[in-house]
Amino acid sequence: MFVCGAMVCWCVLAGLGLGLDRGMASFRGSAWGWMGRGRMVRAGLTVVMVLACGGGRPLTAQVVTAALGVQTAPSAEAVNPATNEVYVANYGNGTVSVIDGATDTVIQKVTVGTEPSAVAVNPVTNEIYVANYGSGTVSVIDGTTSAVTARVRVGNDPDAVAVNPVTDQIYVANYGGTTVTVIDGGDNTVAGTVTVGSAPNAVAVNPVTGK
């Protein structure tokens, strides 16, 4: 994931480097283990690495600038470029770590639902949406206070989330079924449910076209 400034991009990677799902290796610790349906991780080490990767520097010149301890089995991360805060979903203990991007320090730990597997940010409203795979909910975090302001019931095994900051709508892929839940960010209620294919596990939004 990248947060771009004038000359520097910060690559924030969960675990010790690259987080991969669906049976692919996730470099996160000392021993292999399964985390949720079809989700294989290395449990034990709980670190977020920050890399300086911008300014036109070659790949060989990119360096790790920080290693931050978070919580158990970090599985996803999202950045609010407006506030320079980073949100890390910790699948193993139902929390989200909040990192100050200016100092590269963990400043908050927010308790959310069971097995948070995805996180997305609306930089316009400064609200953070966390898909809780194990509890079938989305937790809404106020970025100003780091308080959970809503818990929205969605489909089975929500595994991905994306935000359209233009329309203030949130899209949640429910891996345990065949649907995407649409949340109205204005009041954080379910605005609709869209039937898609089996086991949807990723979702993305184009805020320009609304697709």
Side-chain angles (χ1 to χ4, degrees):
M1 175 167 284
F2 303 92
V3 181
C4 296
M7 288 298 292
V8 177
C9 271
W10 296 104
C11 308
V12 183
L13 307 178
L16 284 181
L18 189 61
L20 299 172
D21 283 342
R22 307 290 171 237
M24 290 185 284
S26 177
F27 196 45
R28 294 181 185 141
S30 57
W32 290 106
W34 287 98
M35 184 174 73
R37 184 181 309 192
R39 188 185 296 274
M40 193 176 190
V41 300
R42 300 187 69 176
L45 213 51
T46 53
V47 178
V48 167
M49 309 299 285
V50 183
L51 287 77
C53 58
R57 70 180 69 192
L59 182 62
T60 54
Q62 295 172 13
V63 295
V64 174
T65 60
L68 313 178
V70 288
Q71 299 293 311
T72 307
S75 62
E77 63 284 320
V79 176
N80 187 337
T83 63
N84 196 17
E85 290 188 342
V86 184
Y87 298 87
V88 182
N90 302 303
Y91 188 94
N93 72 346
T95 64
V96 169
S97 296
V98 185
I99 297 171
D100 182 343
T103 61
D104 292 334
T105 56
V106 177
I107 57 174
Q108 291 281 354
K109 181 183 74 174
V110 183
T111 299
V112 290
T114 305
E115 298 173 343
S117 62
V119 59
V121 172
N122 187 334
V124 176
T125 63
N126 196 18
E127 288 190 310
I128 298 88
Y129 296 86
V130 184
N132 302 305
Y133 186 93
S135 55
T137 60
V138 168
S139 297
V140 184
I141 301 172
D142 183 327
T144 302
T145 64
S146 294
V148 175
T149 58
R151 290 180 176 84
V152 184
R153 175 67 60 180
V154 290
N156 294 329
D157 306 331
D159 203 27
V161 59
V163 174
N164 186 335
V166 174
T167 62
D168 197 14
Q169 289 188 318
I170 300 88
Y171 299 86
V172 184
N174 301 305
Y175 180 80
T178 59
T179 63
V180 169
T181 300
V182 184
I183 298 172
D184 182 346
D187 57 8
N188 290 319
T189 59
V190 174
T193 302
V194 182
T195 299
V196 291
S198 299
N201 66 354
V203 60
V205 175
N206 185 336
V208 176
T209 64
K211 294 182 180 180

